Amino acid sequence: MVDAYKPMDAFDSMTESTFILKPSFTPKQSTTKKAGVSHPPAFNNEGFVPLFQGKEAEESMELRRKLFSEMWGPLEQLLVDTEEQVNQVGVSEVCNYVNCSYTRIESVEKGQLDQPFAEMATAVAFAGVNTGDHSKLFESLQAQLTAGGHHVALLESQYCTSLASMLKCMLDQILGSLDEVQRPTGNSRSGVLAGAKTIAYDMGLLKLRWDEAVGSASTCSSRVVVILQDFEGFAPMVVDDFVRIATSYCYSVPIVVVLGLATSYESIHQSLTKASISMLNVEKFNLQRSKECIDAAIRSVFIRATDMLAFGAEAYKSLLDQFLLYNFSITGFVKKLKFAAMDFFYAQPLSVLVSMLQCSAGGVLSVRDYPICLSPEQAELIRMQKSVQRFLEQQLEETGDRDHFRLALSNDEYLQKTVLPQLLRRLVSFRAGYCLGIDFVVTLQDMVPESLRKPIRTLHYYGVGQKFDDCMHWKALSAVVRRMKVPDMEQLLAKLSAVADIAAIVDWDFATKDGLDIPQLLQQSRALLSNPGVLIKPGNADSGEPSKRIRTRTDMENRPFLLFDNSSSDQMLSALDQCCANIETILRACLSPYQSAPLYEVFYYKHSLLLDTTFSAQPRAAVQAALGKTSYYIDCDCCKATTCDSDDSDATSEDAADQRVMSSMHDTSIAYRLHQECGRMINLYDWHSAFSSVVEGESVKARGSSPCQRAIQARFMRAVEEMRLLGFIKSTQRKTDHVIRLTWGM
Amino acid sequence: MNSLATELATDAPAVIINGFFPTLNLKQSLERVVSEVIGIGDTTGTVADLASLIHGYFDSKTREVKEVYFIVHNIDGPCLRKHQAALAVLASSPNVHLLASIDHIEAPLIWDSSTTTRFNWAWHDLTTFEPYTVETSYENFASDTTEIGPRGVLHVLASLTENTKSIFRILAEYQIAESVMGDAGTKMPAMAYSAYFAACRDQFLVSSELTFRSQLTEFRDHKVIQSRHAADGTESVHIPFDATTLGTILESME
């Protein structure tokens, strides 16, 4: 028993809650001090540690670090540029609107009836539910508007809790922008304004400064743009007051308001009064392009194949689910991608093989000529991969070269100089073939009805996750191809040939399964269509009526064009048939599963569980597993149940073990299991009785002595307090000796 | 987690905040950070302003302190729950490194979409079966000084005269009777001032209103009773405990 309370460490205090530690070591001192400390210098090398239980060479670790930074920097920039490019369309539309706003008022000003009020130009921009990406989007809008000569204020709801703070935020930015414009003229008032603390932030000040800045110019093309980045976050009263005030000044100061909406136009109706809305001249814009963004990102990262970063089926699904099921956030997608890349270089010893690949100017991956120096552990790890074993056995079958096989398995130098480049060439060619296959599918989709078209992220998911013959989408596309008439088929073949010509694949032997030469096959198909007489077999007479060509059900399913096409001859139809089969063969060859490529275990990232647990928080599941199924965390012998019935399967015996409450378990775990049997209100005395009976009942049998009542009571109180801290129960004032149960299930 | 601050994070200042501390004042903690780490004294403003100030400092290129580590134990602690937006602003700076722990099973509910994006959490399950000795040691800490426990009331009453105890007993018994007869779950029954004075005078416990009022003031100073003013101006007093606790107190008094 601990008599006196002893602090756990120096930061456990009853009076202080915050501690500040200054770095007390200079860099020189820290190295000498750390020499005596047994923990690893984890923050050196940005967290990279030697693998193979510390036996990895320093150069190898350094190489992994270098490769990661070389790979991630350009990739991140590429993703940012892609996002900006996709958003550019929407942003330009809003900028054009701002440029053209109020011009009609200026031109009809003279000699026309003056309206008693002026409608304020308002752009309602639907930015989507991915609120995490909005800051980049609106900052780029702000930058573009500022470059166009306008004065922009970007307001966020967290800083604009009242009308006064909102006006202050807005005027700070706009007056600052006006001052910058005026600074070349030497306006000395700007210094006073910046330092003065007693400025009345109101629109009159804005009008004054605007008149000074614009001067006597009759027309002014610049506008005052106020962007409310997250409209739903602003208090309705604040926005309503702001709109009322701004509309009364918009005749003298051309104010344009941009409202960033995450949901729908309904939120404007809910926040603003009818009077305010009637003073707005609203134009709607759609800035929500997260799906186009993600498609562009996936194309540039996974389909272009300029880097070897590839995801296996489950990991890719985890990436997509994060995007599709959560909030369409590109930031979340990039975050997961970065984590996967980090995990690849941190934890995979064979990630050093990436240094053997290089990207040429044409965006094609190839294998470098100089081999990498492998350590014995790395070489052994390569040999242990199933895909490498399968590759070597295949080579042995094809060539019969037993010496090559023996050297590959025994000689490290032979492995790294000869076998490894062969493996990597195959893998690179396979990737190129896959990318070509996806390009073919995209080309084909342009010629099918809208309903059959799938976005590229889904195509990639089918490509990595499903076999060709099992995928419904590939089958649907094949069926459409089979229904094509001759002109459509010719057009399709021409397009596919053009795509194949652009793809710079050199080694057709390895690019596809069975070494299919795709350009040649496409050429043959085109030739066949233009000259179908080649295919005619001697002895097959023309069958005459088109309807008689359909003899079996298979004919009907596979060749429905036979039914519809009365004009073509038998030869042409056979040629069409052959072309369809060729196209199907091409697609099947290109889109073969990645498990057929060598070294796929290294280069296709597969730790989807790690990605899910790192980015999808499940604290409740973790705590409930820790308390309810403690064996997952502590695999101790004392809590393993002895099953009486040996015929039970493992699953049921494990469930039975989990449900039994044993005295050897952790106190909080016992309390948790007992509380699960209770209803909404738990009587603390009953709970305590059950707890003490569990604890002392079995321990009497086991050890012949039971802990004393006070000890059991203390343990129970500690367990109940921990349950309260975790959030399973809370105290109630209605019944003093009861607690309320807060969680159900599990 | 503290060992990360003391042993590994030695290249930059580290700030350890115990979120489970019941009287944690984040404003004061951030003011300390600003004055001791950044070196700007006499800062004023809300928690959000301070967080923005720190964020702005670590974004500027001409700063002396390059990085800072924040280690927050129990970021879901009761005093930190309403400051998540400010902490998110802090964490969104690339030169501020945040390590936090949570224990409550529903902790992720305190973050909305924008705070989650700013925090950019990477989760790790570090379940140890260590007892929550430190976090639960503050159970009887007087966090709210406007409340007094039953033990405190007994202590106060023990030092008072018999008359004063009887005055207390009258109000306690009235409250118990009211709560038994009235609905459960409504506001605590309170006795009107005039009725209370009349009852005390009937039992010769007080002679004049002045002494009665001074007695009530003494109770109020010790936080034994609380008074309310109704809309029509009448005052009523009550003891801030429920009937069962009052019963226990009365029994212990004798």
Side-chain angles (χ1 to χ4, degrees):
Chain A
M1 276 275 248
V2 177
D3 292 327
Y5 172 73
K6 289 187 187 121
M8 304 280 279
D9 61 15
F11 307 110
D12 168 28
S13 159
M14 298 295 276
T15 51
E16 281 293 322
S17 61
T18 309
F19 304 90
I20 297 183
L21 305 174
K22 298 281 176 66
S24 54
F25 306 127
T26 60
K28 279 191 192 165
Q29 281 178 357
S30 66
T31 44
T32 51
K33 286 238 174 193
K34 274 177 186 172
V37 177
S38 59
H39 67 81
F43 288 1
N44 293 347
N45 300 318
E46 292 167 2
F48 278 89
V49 293
L51 298 173
F52 294 124
Q53 282 103 37
K55 287 189 259 176
E56 193 189 17
E58 181 89 21
E59 297 86 24
S60 187
M61 186 184 76
E62 196 49 46
L63 180 62
R64 284 189 290 120
R65 187 166 80 98
K66 193 169 81 93
L67 286 171
F68 171 66
S69 55
E70 277 174 8
M71 192 206 86
W72 183 251
L75 189 61
E76 191 173 28
Q77 191 55 44
L78 174 70
L79 289 167
V80 164
D81 292 341
T82 310
E83 197 181 346
E84 264 185 38
Q85 213 173 346
V86 172
N87 287 331
Q88 189 54 33
V89 175
V91 166
S92 308
E93 283 174 6
V94 178
C95 289
N96 285 341
Y97 173 74
V98 172
N99 289 337
C100 301
S101 62
Y102 294 113
T103 48
R104 200 176 66 84
I105 293 176
E106 285 165 2
S107 64
V108 303
E109 201 179 312
K110 298 178 181 119
Q112 301 279 340
L113 270 177
D114 276 342
Q115 285 183 322
F117 58 87
E119 282 188 348
M120 186 163 67
T122 307
V124 170
F126 293 97
V129 295
N130 47 333
T131 48
D133 302 338
H134 289 179
S135 49
K136 271 190 276 185
L137 177 65
F138 285 105
E139 277 166 13
S140 73
L141 177 63
Q142 184 185 23
Q144 201 161 338
L145 285 170
T146 312
H150 303 293
H151 305 282
V152 188
L154 179 60
L155 304 179
E156 288 181 50
S157 59
Q158 59 175 330
Y159 302 121
C160 304
T161 46
S162 67
L163 185 62
S165 53
M166 188 169 176
L167 284 175
K168 180 179 181 307
C169 255
M170 183 188 102
L171 288 172
D172 275 344
Q173 293 182 53
I174 295 180
L175 296 180
S177 169
L178 284 171
D179 285 341
E180 277 182 23
V181 165
Q182 281 201 315
R183 204 167 289 146
T185 63
N187 190 348
S188 61
R189 268 210 241 166
S190 58
V192 173
L193 272 176
K197 286 195 174 129
T198 55
I199 309 168
Y201 283 103
D202 66 6
M203 299 293 276
L205 179 66
L206 174 64
K207 183 174 180 312
L208 210 64
R209 299 284 288 119
W210 178 259
D211 290 339
E212 275 179 24
V214 170
S216 54
S218 55
T219 55
C220 172
S221 61
S222 60
R223 306 278 178 262
V224 172
V225 185
V226 181
I227 306 176
L228 272 61
Q229 183 172 316
D230 47 346
F231 179 78
E232 286 93 344
F234 285 85
M237 296 281 295
V238 170
V239 183
D240 195 55
D241 290 340
F242 172 75
V243 164
R244 293 288 197 95
I245 294 170
T247 47
S248 60
Y249 281 89
C250 72
Y251 200 68
S252 44
V253 179
I255 302 177
V256 181
V257 174
V258 179
L259 305 176
L261 283 185
T263 51
S264 71
Y265 198 72
E266 280 299 312
S267 53
I268 293 190
H269 283 296
Q270 285 168 6
S271 298
L272 298 180
T273 57
K274 195 171 163 198
S276 309
I277 295 177
S278 63
M279 290 193 229
L280 299 178
N281 182 1
V282 170
E283 187 111 355
K284 295 183 194 169
F285 297 93
N286 186 9
L287 296 185
Q288 181 182 8
R289 294 187 201 276
S290 52
K291 288 192 180 170
E292 286 97 345
C293 240
I294 196 97
D295 285 342
I298 287 174
R299 183 177 261 288
S300 53
V301 172
F302 296 127
I303 315 286
R304 281 284 139 74
T306 45
D307 291 307
M308 277 309 287
L309 184 67
F311 273 54
E314 293 89 17
Y316 181 68
K317 185 167 186 306
S318 165
L319 258 182
L320 267 195
D321 283 348
Q322 150 82 30
F323 176 79
L324 290 172
L325 302 178
Y326 189 45
N327 63 352
F328 296 110
S329 167
I330 304 292
T331 319
F333 174 80
V334 172
K335 204 166 62 170
K336 252 190 171 173
L337 198 64
K338 183 175 185 183
F339 189 82
M342 279 166 65
D343 185 45
F344 176 65
F345 285 101
Y346 271 50
Q348 171 63 270
L350 295 179
S351 52
V352 293
L353 297 179
V354 173
S355 62
M356 285 188 69
L357 302 169
Q358 66 185 0
C359 185
S360 66
V364 177
L365 263 189
S366 58
V367 183
R368 282 188 216 262
D369 290 331
Y370 60 83
I372 189 176
C373 190
L374 292 174
S375 69
E377 290 91 6
Q378 284 168 336
E380 204 47 47
L381 195 56
I382 291 177
R383 286 191 193 103
M384 272 164 47
Q385 304 303 326
K386 281 212 172 80
S387 57
V388 173
Q389 292 171 4
R390 193 178 55 217
F391 172 78
L392 290 173
E393 281 162 13
Q394 215 171 356
Q395 272 190 330
L396 182 66
E397 268 177 35
E398 283 167 10
T399 59
D401 189 349
R402 302 199 77 86
D403 287 335
H404 166 80
F405 189 75
R406 189 179 46 80
L407 282 172
L409 290 180
S410 54
N411 190 326
D412 283 355
E413 208 174 318
Y414 186 78
L415 181 77
Q416 74 196 22
K417 282 203 175 120
T418 313
V419 181
L420 198 54
Q422 288 174 356
L423 291 168
L424 287 172
R425 257 182 227 116
R426 283 234 172 178
L427 181 64
V428 164
S429 302
F430 171 82
R431 284 292 301 277
Y434 174 80
C435 298
L436 182 65
I438 294 287
D439 285 339
F440 281 158
V441 173
V442 170
T443 313
L444 177 56
Q445 277 194 161
D446 288 339
M447 298 184 65
V448 305
E450 191 79 35
S451 55
L452 270 181
R453 294 186 198 167
K454 299 269 183 197
I456 200 165
R457 59 180 184 275
T458 319
L459 293 179
H460 184 54
Y461 175 63
Y462 291 147
V464 291
Q466 297 184 19
K467 287 190 182 156
F468 187 85
D469 293 322
D470 296 338
C471 179
M472 295 307 298
H473 186 63
W474 300 153
K475 283 184 188 163
L477 288 179
S478 304
V480 171
V481 168
R482 286 193 177 278
R483 278 195 276 273
M484 276 184 176
K485 294 189 185 157
V486 176
D488 294 334
M489 182 60 78
E490 283 175 352
Q491 195 187 7
L492 175 64
L493 285 172
K495 282 188 180 175
L496 293 179
S497 302
V499 169
D501 290 337
I502 295 172
I505 295 178
V506 176
D507 210 342
W508 286 104
D509 287 338
F510 300 138
T512 56
K513 203 174 165 189
D514 306 324
L516 201 63
D517 191 336
I518 288 173
Q520 199 182 14
L521 197 58
L522 286 171
Q523 280 302 329
Q524 277 176 5
S525 306
R526 291 176 83 179
L528 203 59
L529 266 190
S530 51
N531 189 9
V534 175
L535 193 60
I536 195 167
K537 292 178 192 164
N540 265 3
D542 203 336
S543 60
E545 286 294 318
S547 55
K548 289 185 190 159
R549 293 172 194 154
I550 299 171
R551 294 183 194 89
T552 62
R553 191 174 167 180
T554 316
D555 282 344
M556 184 62 198
E557 283 175 359
N558 291 345
R559 287 171 281 217
F561 56 71
L562 283 174
L563 185 61
F564 305 114
D565 202 341
N566 292 328
S567 56
S568 310
S569 65
D570 250 358
Q571 295 165 2
M572 183 55 84
L573 292 172
S574 310
L576 268 177
D577 197 11
Q578 184 62 42
C579 290
C580 292
N582 287 349
I583 290 178
E584 209 168 302
T585 313
I586 289 171
L587 287 180
R588 187 181 281 111
C590 287
L591 298 172
S592 51
Y594 64 88
Q595 284 89 350
S596 56
L599 288 177
Y600 79 89
E601 300 96 336
V602 174
F603 287 99
Y604 279 79
Y605 186 77
K606 58 184 184 249
H607 299 148
S608 60
L609 196 61
L610 177 68
L611 288 180
D612 286 337
T613 50
T614 306
F615 293 105
S616 307
Q618 302 284 345
R620 180 171 164 167
V623 171
Q624 286 183 319
L627 293 178
K629 295 180 198 269
T630 323
S631 54
Y632 289 163
Y633 287 88
I634 307 178
D635 197 14
C636 56
D637 294 325
C638 54
C639 298
K640 280 199 177 117
T642 51
T643 51
C644 312
D645 192 0
S646 57
D647 291 335
D648 279 345
S649 65
D650 286 336
T652 51
S653 67
E654 269 180 32
D655 284 341
D658 284 335
Q659 280 164 23
R660 272 191 63 192
V661 187
M662 287 184 272
S663 64
S664 54
M665 290 177 174
H666 194 254
D667 286 342
T668 318
S669 181
I670 299 174
Y672 171 78
R673 286 167 210 248
L674 290 173
H675 110 289
Q676 281 193 303
E677 294 160 15
C678 301
R680 188 172 164 266
M681 299 287 266
I682 307 177
N683 187 323
L684 279 171
Y685 182 74
D686 294 340
W687 198 6
H688 172 248
S689 313
F691 181 87
S692 57
S693 66
V694 166
V695 168
E696 70 182 12
E698 302 227 4
S699 61
V700 167
K701 281 189 232 167
R703 287 177 244 131
S705 67
S706 65
C708 71
Q709 278 301 317
R710 287 174 70 84
I712 295 177
Q713 190 176 357
R715 285 165 63 178
F716 174 71
M717 281 164 62
R718 185 175 65 179
V720 167
E721 186 55 27
E722 286 184 7
M723 293 276 288
R724 193 195 59 79
L725 189 83
L726 291 171
F728 285 108
I729 57 173
K730 74 171 184 183
S731 57
T732 169
Q733 294 204 343
R734 293 178 63 182
K735 288 187 179 184
T736 43
D737 57 346
H738 283 67
V739 288
I740 297 182
R741 183 177 168 183
L742 294 175
T743 63
W744 303 90
M746 243 207 85
Chain B
M1 278 168 60
N2 287 337
S3 61
L4 187 124
T6 52
E7 291 172 25
L8 298 182
T10 49
D11 53 337
V15 181
I16 300 178
I17 299 178
N18 292 337
F20 47 79
F21 200 78
T23 56
L24 168 68
N25 189 335
L26 188 63
K27 184 162 174 300
Q28 282 177 2
S29 308
L30 291 181
E31 279 171 0
R32 262 190 76 187
V33 170
V34 168
S35 63
E36 289 182 34
V37 173
I38 300 177
I40 305 171
D42 291 335
T43 45
T44 54
T46 60
V47 173
D49 294 333
L50 290 166
S52 302
L53 179 69
I54 299 173
H55 178 95
Y57 176 81
F58 282 102
D59 270 350
S60 72
K61 295 196 170 58
T62 56
R63 60 189 190 278
E64 287 177 9
V65 183
K66 293 295 169 197
E67 293 172 326
V68 68
Y69 296 94
F70 274 88
I71 290 138
V72 184
H73 297 278
N74 284 102
I75 200 167
D76 55 346
C79 302
L80 287 179
R81 283 174 200 172
K82 49 189 191 300
H83 296 302
Q84 295 302 316
L87 289 170
V89 167
L90 263 186
S92 58
S93 171
N95 297 310
V96 173
H97 308 296
L98 178 65
L99 174 65
S101 70
I102 57 161
D103 286 306
H104 200 284
I105 51 176
E106 308 289 1
L109 291 175
I110 55 178
W111 301 308
D112 61 11
S113 175
S114 56
T115 43
T116 312
T117 315
R118 288 207 183 98
F119 272 123
N120 209 14
W121 294 120
W123 294 87
H124 300 277
D125 181 5
L126 294 179
T127 305
T128 63
F129 282 80
E130 296 288 320
Y132 285 99
T133 320
V134 179
E135 289 90 338
T136 53
S137 60
Y138 300 98
E139 188 188 350
N140 291 325
F141 210 81
S143 58
D144 197 351
T145 49
T146 60
E147 282 174 15
I148 189 172
R151 226 178 285 160
V153 168
L154 281 171
H155 190 75
V156 165
L157 288 173
S159 60
L160 296 174
T161 61
E162 279 300 323
N163 265 3
T164 325
K165 285 186 200 168
S166 308
I167 293 173
F168 178 82
R169 184 173 289 119
I170 290 172
L171 183 57
E173 281 167 1
Y174 175 82
Q175 229 170 285
I176 292 171
E178 275 297 303
S179 64
V180 165
M181 287 192 312
D183 303 322
T186 51
K187 282 203 291 193
M188 282 194 200
M191 202 170 184
Y193 180 82
S194 49
Y196 191 17
F197 177 54
C200 292
R201 203 180 43 191
D202 289 342
Q203 297 201 10
F204 300 106
L205 297 170
V206 286
S207 54
S208 70
E209 195 174 339
L210 195 60
T211 44
F212 180 66
R213 199 167 269 286
S214 62
Q215 201 58 44
L216 282 191
T217 313
E218 196 182 335
F219 278 147
R220 215 176 280 127
D221 288 341
H222 287 295
K223 300 180 186 66
V224 173
I225 65 167
Q226 288 171 0
S227 58
R228 275 204 301 268
H229 286 272
D232 53 356
T234 51
E235 193 183 338
S236 53
V237 292
H238 70 277
I239 307 170
F241 294 118
D242 58 337
T244 342
T245 324
L246 279 178
T248 326
I249 292 174
L250 287 178
E251 280 163 27
S252 323
M253 261 169 61
E254 285 141 21

